Amino acid sequence: MGQINKHYFVNVSYDGTNFHGWAKQLNLRTVQQEIENVLTKICDEKISIFCAGRTDTYVHALGQCFDFKTKKDWKPKNLQLALNALLPNDIHINRVKCVDNKFHSRFNAVSKTYLYVINKHFDIFKQNYELFYNKEISLKKIKPAINLLVGKHNFLSFSRAENNDTVRTINFIKIKKTNSYTRLYINGNGFLRNMVRMIVGNLLAINENRKSLDDIKKLLDDPKKGTSVDKVKGCGLYLYKVFYG
């Protein structure tokens, strides 16, 4: 009888400042590679992990999720402790649990929420974690644009994606303003490469009167790769939470 693999689901946070994104790249430091290196060491076999959604260079995560299979039988808490003992200090394992063999972190995800953090006041110690934007953000100006973006659309104009299927559904875009901060929470059933950063960039362009609602409507109605142009930095972006059914 063959060895039965154990299947683990992991929730992880990371500081993206010194990473070239999530996905493995030759001769570049990535989150996936760091985690796989440690798992391969402690499980005594080659381990591949599958995430809920890739993040780009400099992008952070509060609640990224991944899963993997191994022949080694770990108690979830012990696996969490072992990983945190060996991973670099810009990656932290929040939770580990056993899951069904059919589970997949990406394909079983119902939706994801991304957070984008904007600060009106520059702070040298936070420049890798938020966007400095020294203009007042008018909710009255950007809310009509948000209403256009929410729903099911072809978001090819808001992406550098090579995907054949570029239709996604944005469930909500919520804004919270406190003191000098503006935080945008964007939830959808999936996201294309650079999509969140381009959405935020276009909302700020609306705020500055550089774009109109008609411009946003045209980008949605006549989708062409990357034509939205406006894109904010990756430093203020966080994969906030992944939701499963």
Side-chain angles (χ1 to χ4, degrees), residues 14-25 28-32 51 53-61 64 114 116 128 158-161 163 191-198 231-239:
Y14 48 85
D15 177 343
T17 304
N18 295 313
F19 288 108
H20 291 269
W22 169 272
K24 285 189 291 188
Q25 299 180 61
L28 293 174
R29 186 173 186 249
T30 67
V31 182
Q32 181 183 8
C51 71
R54 297 177 178 184
T55 53
D56 294 333
T57 302
Y58 308 132
V59 176
H60 315 291
Q64 170 71 282
Y114 278 88
Y116 200 87
N128 293 325
F158 295 84
S159 176
R160 298 293 183 186
N163 307 38
F191 294 89
L192 304 170
R193 185 177 183 184
N194 295 156
M195 181 173 155
V196 176
R197 292 165 62 191
M198 285 189 168
K231 181 175 71 172
V232 289
K233 295 179 180 179
C235 60
L237 183 59
Y238 298 75
L239 177 51

Side-chain angles (χ1 to χ4, degrees), residues 180-195:
S180 64
Y181 280 96
T182 300
R183 294 177 173 87
L184 294 92
Y185 297 84
I186 303 177
N187 176 274
N189 68 346
F191 294 89
L192 304 170
R193 185 177 183 184
N194 295 156
M195 181 173 155

